[in-house]
Amino acid sequence: MSSPSRTRALMAELRRSLGEDDPMPPRIEPLRIPDPPIRVFPKPRPRSRYADEAAAHTTALVGIGRVGTRYATPVVLQFQAELAVAHAAVAAELPDGWADEHGLLPLRSRVGDHREFLLRPDLGRRLDADSLERLRSTATKGVDVQPILADGLSAVACMGSGLALLEHLTAECTQRGWTVGTPLCAKFARVWLEDEIGQEVGCKVAVILLGERPGLGTGDGLSAYMVHQPAIGKTDSDRNMISNIHARGITPPDAARRLALLAGSMLEQGTSGVSLDLSPLVAELGDAGGVGLREPQVREPLVFVGDDDGGPE
Amino acid sequence: MILEPLLPTILSVRRIPDADPALLRAYGADPDRHRSLGLITADQDDPVYVALDEATKHSGVDVVFARSFWAGAGSASGKLSGEVLGVLAATDPAEIDEGLRAMIRCLEHDACFYGANDDGSIAVFPHVIPSLGRYLSRESGLEVGSPMAYLVAPPMEATVALDAALKAANVTACKIFPPPTETNFAAAWLSGTLPDCEAAALAYAEAVVDVARNARQL
């Protein structure tokens, strides 16, 4: 049974058809945990200026201090709250009909349900019979670039910034004079599904945009995997990828531009993956070369311990 | 975000296993058949009426009393009053327990108002009952087991929406409660096949949202 209440299912349907549905989970109010009666603070140690500077540019768990041999309570609580966000993102499912509503051709892997999707990556890499039939009869064949939007491990990310990324990428490709394939949306998809889809439509370059494994505090990140001459049997060494596509990482327009540059060199050199020579692109890819300094990153607090001003004096 | 459930809060649930005959009579029960009472108050009246009906499908209880309080939960007489008191009666206290559990399940997972605007200050109850229990079938005059759309909204919204619901599907109005009811809402009970009732409820909710968005046409 999909919903315990017929009326609630009807209203959810109406909400979607009125365009009032928000795919993101509701904002959770940060928890407030009162201070314990006695708090023993560790002796503050002078912090290294270099470490502070480095920590400001990442949301990774560095420069978080310690209490004895353990993490401080706020760090542990924040960690657990962020883990919960990640769990929720993994558990989210792309609603049936979402692809249709957004003008994408709906496809589905051989996976039966969400649990099977998590447990059987092999099934997520192949299309089911209906989808294969639909793809063969509907999709445009022999294109230069075939973009595929997919849920991957975070349907939240796919519904969040997936469409924007797809639009930007299509625009970038058309602008360069390439033909772009029918926009597709695959449910329960793993990265390697692009091999079968690309092989069927006979495209030169296939790129799958899918929700990435949620990390701490990022349930809404997308990754893009690109492969030249897709065919079943291609491996990860044949792919180039960009990860961390979300508002706080690489923004969709920026990611679309980089993907188009990658696709350009694949079309030019006729290969992809480790054998693709990216050295001519260093100047254009800029940060993608990994030399630039990222903007300072702020970790969004999900839990507050003690008073607003950071605890008693 | 609109059309999100506004969940009812159950404020109190009490049992009287061996009620006094005078009390039984006063609340509409029959001392010859009934001995135990189950009482519930909540801050939304219509979900409770649906839940009382649900209880009659799960156990041998009769709904002997169900009344809304004047002007609704916003003017409650106490923090446990809410806007409705529902009373189940049965011979066996175990039947009461089972009935109350069915009610709580229904209030937590099924019957609820929905917000028709972003802050939820306009509420709509476009509820479809796939199969009527003994309570609402008696009140509506429909057969036990037939479907019914139970539609509630504030006066203006309800009036416009009822017209839309009646025109949207092959349904007949078995009862219309024009405003003001006790809680100053307006309601209607529509009967038809289940798909028709669902279509009517959808049209009703959509019309309420439309009135909420365009309150003044002139």
Side-chain angles (χ1 to χ4, degrees):
Chain A
M1 199 162 63
S2 62
S3 163
S5 158
R6 188 67 198 126
T7 309
R8 289 206 188 168
L10 280 175
M11 287 306 120
E13 203 178 288
L14 178 60
R15 186 165 63 228
R16 264 207 293 282
S17 72
L18 290 174
E20 290 282 348
D21 210 17
D22 183 354
M24 302 301 275
R27 185 88 183 74
I28 303 162
E29 281 297 307
L31 290 173
R32 284 193 181 278
I33 296 173
D35 257 335
I38 298 171
R39 245 176 104 174
V40 180
F41 289 92
K43 207 176 278 176
R45 294 185 309 149
R47 292 172 65 94
S48 139
R49 198 178 57 79
Y50 171 75
D52 277 347
E53 179 76 5
H57 289 272
T58 177
T59 54
L61 290 170
V62 295
I64 51 175
R66 63 190 175 88
V67 182
T69 57
R70 301 172 197 175
Y71 293 132
T73 305
V75 172
V76 174
L77 295 173
Q78 172 80 10
F79 179 89
Q80 288 171 341
E82 290 179 350
L83 192 59
V85 171
H87 274 264
V90 172
E93 218 177 296
L94 198 66
D96 289 320
W98 185 85
D100 271 326
E101 282 161 30
H102 293 88
L104 309 172
L105 180 68
L107 300 175
R108 195 185 162 116
S109 70
R110 293 186 184 170
V111 168
D113 58 30
H114 190 255
R115 187 174 157 72
E116 188 174 53
F117 173 60
L118 295 179
L119 295 178
R120 294 285 305 270
D122 53 330
L123 296 181
R125 293 172 180 161
R126 297 299 301 270
L127 287 172
D128 72 358
D130 287 352
S131 298
L132 196 54
E133 189 49 45
R134 204 172 312 130
L135 184 67
R136 281 179 180 157
S137 59
T138 322
T140 321
K141 307 287 177 338
V143 292
D144 291 324
V145 177
Q146 174 63 60
I148 305 150
L149 184 60
D151 51 358
L153 285 172
S154 170
V156 171
C158 170
M159 292 186 284
S161 48
L163 282 172
L165 180 57
L166 183 65
E167 272 165 30
H168 285 296
L169 178 61
T170 309
E172 290 279 351
C173 290
T174 341
Q175 199 187 320
R176 287 169 165 78
W178 304 328
T179 50
V180 179
T182 316
L184 311 172
C185 179
K187 182 170 177 173
F188 293 141
R190 297 275 175 174
V191 172
W192 290 19
L193 192 67
E194 68 176 346
D195 296 342
E196 183 172 19
I197 295 176
Q199 180 178 304
E200 287 303 327
V201 301
C203 59
K204 290 183 185 147
V205 170
V207 54
I208 188 164
L209 318 168
L210 77 183
E212 63 191 10
R213 188 186 307 280
L216 291 182
T218 52
D220 56 348
L222 285 163
S223 290
Y225 290 79
M226 191 175 268
V227 61
H228 183 258
Q229 294 276 317
I232 293 172
K234 290 268 176 173
T235 66
D236 283 341
S237 66
D238 298 312
R239 285 172 233 282
N240 293 77
M241 68 89 69
I242 295 182
S243 65
N244 262 323
I245 306 174
H246 51 83
R248 304 170 307 287
I250 304 173
T251 59
D254 198 18
R257 193 181 58 79
R258 292 185 192 187
L259 285 170
L261 286 171
L262 272 179
S265 31
M266 284 183 192
L267 291 171
E268 198 180 304
Q269 300 177 28
T271 183
S272 61
V274 288
S275 51
L276 186 71
D277 180 12
L278 288 176
S279 54
L281 292 180
V282 168
E284 286 168 291
L285 284 177
D287 273 1
V291 289
L293 188 61
R294 215 157 57 150
E295 290 295 302
Q297 304 276 301
V298 181
R299 201 171 187 83
E300 191 183 356
L302 298 174
V303 182
F304 292 97
V305 177
D307 300 340
D308 286 354
D309 55 2
E313 294 309 314
Chain B
M1 209 152 97
I2 63 165
L3 295 173
E4 283 291 314
L6 305 172
L7 295 177
T9 308
I10 299 170
L11 298 168
S12 59
V13 182
R14 295 286 301 198
R15 297 170 292 198
I16 306 180
D18 187 14
D20 190 274
L23 179 71
L24 287 173
R25 268 193 293 273
Y27 280 74
D30 174 2
D32 295 334
R33 292 193 297 123
H34 300 132
R35 181 166 173 184
S36 301
L37 297 179
L39 305 99
I40 190 164
T41 60
D43 65 349
Q44 293 181 7
D45 58 349
D46 296 293
V48 167
Y49 296 145
V50 170
L52 285 166
D53 186 57
E54 183 73 16
T56 65
K57 299 183 219 167
H58 290 262
S59 80
V61 290
D62 292 320
V63 179
V64 294
F65 182 96
R67 291 286 298 273
S68 303
F69 305 143
W70 308 117
S75 335
S77 55
K79 74 170 187 177
L80 302 182
S81 312
E83 65 178 31
V84 62
L85 171 66
V87 181
L88 300 173
T91 323
D92 181 353
E95 298 277 11
I96 294 288
D97 283 7
E98 206 42 56
L100 288 172
R101 281 196 199 99
M103 285 193 71
I104 292 166
R105 268 199 306 276
C106 176
L107 288 171
E108 282 174 352
H109 300 294
D110 188 13
C112 66
F113 274 86
Y114 296 82
N117 56 355
D118 282 322
D119 61 4
S121 56
I122 297 178
V124 57
F125 185 70
H127 193 79
V128 178
I129 303 172
S131 164
L132 281 179
R134 285 178 285 117
Y135 166 55
L136 285 179
S137 65
R138 185 184 75 210
E139 296 292 316
S140 63
L142 297 171
E143 293 283 310
V144 170
S146 52
M148 186 176 95
Y150 189 139
L151 311 173
V152 184
M156 169 60 91
E157 294 85 332
T159 312
V160 176
L162 177 57
D163 183 61
L166 287 167
K167 288 171 180 167
N170 185 17
V171 285
T172 48
C174 45
K175 225 167 182 180
I176 294 178
F177 307 86
T181 59
E182 287 94 329
T183 52
N184 293 328
F185 276 74
W189 292 346
L190 309 184
S191 75
T193 62
L194 184 56
D196 279 323
C197 285
E198 290 182 353
L202 276 176
Y204 190 87
E206 196 173 351
V208 171
V209 170
D210 181 62
V211 176
R213 284 177 177 167
N214 310 300
R216 289 194 59 159
Q217 284 183 329
L218 277 181

